[in-house]
Amino acid sequence: MKSLTSYLGAAVVALGASSAAWAAQPLLTPPELEAIRQDPAVRVIDIRPPDAYAAGHIPGAVSAPYGQWRGPADNPGELPPVSRLTELVRGLGVDAGTHAIVVSSGADATDFGASARVYWTLKYLGLKDLSILNGGLKAWADAGLPQDQAAPAVTASAFEARLDDSLIATTEQVAAQVGNPAVRLVDARPLDFYLGKVKAPTAQVPGTIQGAVNLENGKWFKPGTSIFVSADEARRIAAQSLPEPADETISFCNTGHWAATDWFALSEVVGQKNVRLYPASLAEWSHDSALPMDNVPGRGSQILDKLKGLLG
């Protein structure tokens, strides 16, 4: 007959195994985060602006504003140098054994793209145990959970990046797949961008990459919120929006922000294989006139739109 100690020991082992499996879920609710945030292996990464962080944040969270994870103003989707990202991760006290949980403001669906882009960057750098707080700090506050204004003292880690090139697509790689029926190019922007009716300041011309399909990033959220839908609902959206199977999917937008949401949805929530993010997106693609595009308005329409913009 087993002793009480043996039963308790087995229960602890089982609970630990269950917690480890649960901790790796891509989305956490505020109560789920509250239950684990004081675990030494957990690091909450607040990517809001410094003033917002200083005004109040999840206790124990470290500050790493979104801009630190982005490229230069003319090509913000471009990844910063790996050496700089490595130093950033080290300074947050994150290493291979850390469960990193990314928190944005939760202001709206577009805000979620910041969390998704940081999550993707951490995964590209080789980290595995990652989550996003579903609904961001707004959901945390709405749940009545604690906040404070103390910046925690963090010991730097010795993190070394192990890049996962299966997650990223370069301009050259995307260009090589245009016209390949086995590869699906997914434009995550709102429909007017896809149709070439409007363009981002970083794009040279309106339109989309030749052969791309449109899957607006806002489809993944409960209406009017930054709350990501359930996994079952996400699978329904994916099946409805992308009914044709593909061996590989490449998500893009203007600067790799909205596209990170589509990547996260398809790869991490729906569970599709071989989903890549094209981080530089149209901010880079559209500046090379040799690269093929669809839905590009005529020259006259572009000049007229530019004049309208200048005149307000």
Side-chain angles (χ1 to χ4, degrees):
M1 184 174 179
K2 288 186 177 180
S3 67
L4 178 60
T5 302
S6 298
Y7 279 115
L8 289 174
V12 169
V13 170
L15 180 60
S18 173
S19 297
W22 168 78
Q25 293 303 306
L27 287 165
L28 295 179
T29 66
E32 287 170 339
L33 174 53
E34 171 64 6
I36 63 170
R37 67 174 174 82
Q38 296 186 63
D39 186 321
V42 168
R43 178 74 72 232
V44 179
I45 302 174
D46 189 321
I47 62 170
R48 298 176 301 146
D51 57 344
Y53 172 83
H57 52 263
I58 296 170
V62 292
S63 178
Y66 184 47
Q68 296 181 2
W69 306 89
R70 302 282 274 165
D74 62 341
N75 191 2
E78 183 181 55
L79 272 173
V82 171
S83 59
R84 198 165 90 206
L85 289 171
T86 297
E87 287 304 311
L88 175 57
V89 172
R90 287 176 178 174
L92 299 174
V94 171
D95 60 23
T98 302
H99 180 187
I101 302 168
V102 185
V103 178
S104 59
S105 74
D108 51 32
T110 288
D111 174 77
F112 185 93
S115 289
R117 176 60 188 254
V118 173
Y119 177 112
W120 173 84
T121 303
L122 292 169
K123 190 166 186 178
Y124 172 66
L125 293 172
L127 293 166
K128 304 295 184 185
D129 201 3
L130 301 168
S131 301
I132 290 173
L133 175 61
N134 198 3
L137 195 76
K138 182 180 185 302
W140 181 269
D142 288 347
L145 292 168
Q147 297 185 49
D148 68 20
Q149 297 177 328
V154 174
T155 301
S157 74
F159 172 74
E160 292 291 344
R162 293 176 174 82
L163 302 184
D164 186 348
D165 289 327
S166 71
L167 301 179
I168 191 170
T170 64
T171 296
E172 293 74 18
Q173 289 169 336
V174 176
Q177 299 303 334
V178 170
N180 182 351
V183 176
R184 178 166 46 215
L185 303 177
V186 175
D187 187 334
R189 300 174 301 163
L191 183 61
D192 280 354
F193 284 91
Y194 173 77
L195 294 176
K197 295 180 178 180
V198 295
K199 77 172 186 70
T202 51
Q204 181 67 26
V205 295
T208 191
I209 297 174
Q210 188 177 91
V213 297
N214 186 219
L215 175 48
E216 296 187 50
N217 68 96
K219 284 189 174 184
W220 304 107
F221 301 91
K222 295 180 180 180
T225 78
S226 64
I227 305 292
F228 208 92
V229 298
S230 69
D232 285 343
E233 178 66 7
R235 284 188 284 269
R236 187 195 67 76
I237 293 168
Q240 184 180 61
S241 302
L242 306 171
E244 297 300 323
D247 293 340
E248 181 178 314
T249 298
I250 300 173
S251 177
F252 70 93
C253 59
N254 292 314
T255 65
H257 177 99
W258 283 327
T261 295
D262 273 12
W263 171 86
F264 179 85
L266 296 172
S267 173
E268 307 301 277
V269 180
V270 176
Q272 291 186 3
K273 304 298 182 184
N274 303 320
V275 183
R276 296 175 181 252
L277 177 70
Y278 175 26
S281 287
L282 285 166
E284 186 165 293
W285 182 276
S286 66
H287 284 263
D288 186 341
S289 60
L291 294 174
M293 294 184 64
D294 287 337
N295 302 336
V296 178
R299 183 65 178 165
S301 296
Q302 291 185 53
I303 293 173
L304 181 60
D305 287 341
K306 186 173 290 187
L307 288 172
K308 287 180 179 177
L310 291 172
L311 296 172

